[in-house]
Amino acid sequence: MRIIRELPVLALFAVLLAGCASTNVGKEVFLDETKGTGVMVASLTKTTKFKMFAKLRGVDTTYKEAVHVTSEFVTSDWGCPFFGIIPEDKPCGRLVIMELPQGEYEFYSWEGSLSGGLGTFIVKPRQQFSKRFRVTAGKAVYVGNIHFSGIGEDTSMKVVDMRERDLALLYRKSPKIKPENVLIDILK
C-alpha cells in the first residue's frame, strides 16, 4: 500500500529528472526561419566508464543545459557495454539534435561520475574552456563529435570532425532536415 501512495511522487521525480537531460527533437522537426530557432547537431561519445555530460549555455542568455552522453532518459545511438572496457575504435554515445533559439552558445565544462562500493567518484576538467558556436534561425549547425576518454583524473574531452558518420545519421533521424540547410562549424 505504501508503494502505491508514493507512485505519484516517484512519477513527478522522474519527470523532473528528465528535464535535466537534453532530449533530441523528433523526426517531425523542420527548419523554419520564422520560428527564430535553429538546430545544433553534435555527437557525444565516450570510451570511459564514467557517466559523462557536457555543460552548454547561452553566451548572452540564461540558458543552461547538461547534455548527457548516455543516461536513463536518452536513447544511445552507439550502445555502451554494461561490463568491460569500451574500445577506443567503438565508442558509445549518441547524436544530439537540439532545437535552440538563434544566438551564440558555448560548451564550457563537463563532468563525469562513477559510482561503486566506495561511493561516487567525480571528475571535471582541470582548466576552464569555451567551445563556442552560433545557432542561425532556419539552419542546422554541426559542431562535431565531443569525445570523452581516459580513466579517473586523466579523463579528457576532445572534439573530432565526424560529419560523414554523424550527418548520415542526422538525415535518417530527422528526414525534414536537408543537407543544403546544414552549416559546419566544428568546435575549436
Side-chain angles (χ1 to χ4, degrees):
M1 204 55 123
R2 182 176 173 201
I3 293 174
I4 293 173
R5 278 185 286 161
E6 293 178 357
L7 280 177
V9 173
L10 291 173
L12 176 62
F13 183 68
V15 168
L16 291 174
L17 277 179
C20 296
S22 62
T23 56
N24 286 347
V25 295
K27 286 185 176 192
E28 298 305 312
V29 70
F30 64 96
L31 299 171
D32 180 359
E33 189 175 342
T34 63
K35 290 189 337 184
T37 62
V39 172
M40 185 275 299
V41 179
S43 57
L44 270 71
T45 57
K46 68 178 189 157
T47 52
T48 178
K49 283 304 229 178
F50 283 79
K51 290 184 178 182
M52 302 298 302
F53 65 88
K55 294 181 179 182
L56 174 66
R57 67 182 170 200
V59 172
D60 295 320
T61 67
T62 59
Y63 177 86
K64 284 189 176 184
E65 182 83 38
V67 185
H68 291 261
V69 176
T70 60
S71 84
E72 299 80 25
F73 304 106
V74 295
T75 304
S76 292
D77 292 303
W78 307 284
C80 295
F82 194 71
F83 292 109
I85 296 172
I86 304 167
E88 231 7 88
D89 64 337
K90 291 191 178 179
C92 61
R94 70 187 181 111
L95 186 68
V96 177
I97 309 165
M98 294 176 64
E99 187 171 21
L100 297 167
Q102 179 170 294
E104 193 170 5
Y105 295 84
E106 69 179 345
F107 285 99
Y108 66 97
S109 191
W110 54 264
E111 189 172 306
S113 65
L114 184 63
S115 298
L118 300 174
T120 301
F121 187 64
I122 305 288
V123 292
K124 296 180 180 186
R126 292 183 179 146
Q127 296 178 335
Q128 291 185 342
F129 62 88
S130 175
K131 305 277 187 183
R132 290 188 176 197
F133 63 94
R134 174 164 288 288
V135 171
T136 302
K139 299 287 183 184
V141 59
Y142 174 71
V143 300
N145 170 230
I146 300 169
H147 180 72
F148 298 97
S149 61
I151 299 171
E153 296 293 326
D154 292 328
T155 302
S156 63
M157 179 191 100
K158 67 180 177 180
V159 178
V160 182
D161 184 349
M162 295 292 291
R163 75 179 85 175
E164 194 170 301
R165 175 196 71 183
D166 294 346
L167 293 180
L169 182 56
L170 169 68
Y171 302 138
R172 284 195 307 276
K173 290 182 112 182
S174 299
K176 291 185 178 179
I177 296 178
K178 302 298 180 200
E180 58 270 17
N181 292 318
V182 177
L183 307 172
I184 307 296
D185 185 13
I186 306 300
L187 300 171
K188 292 168 187 57

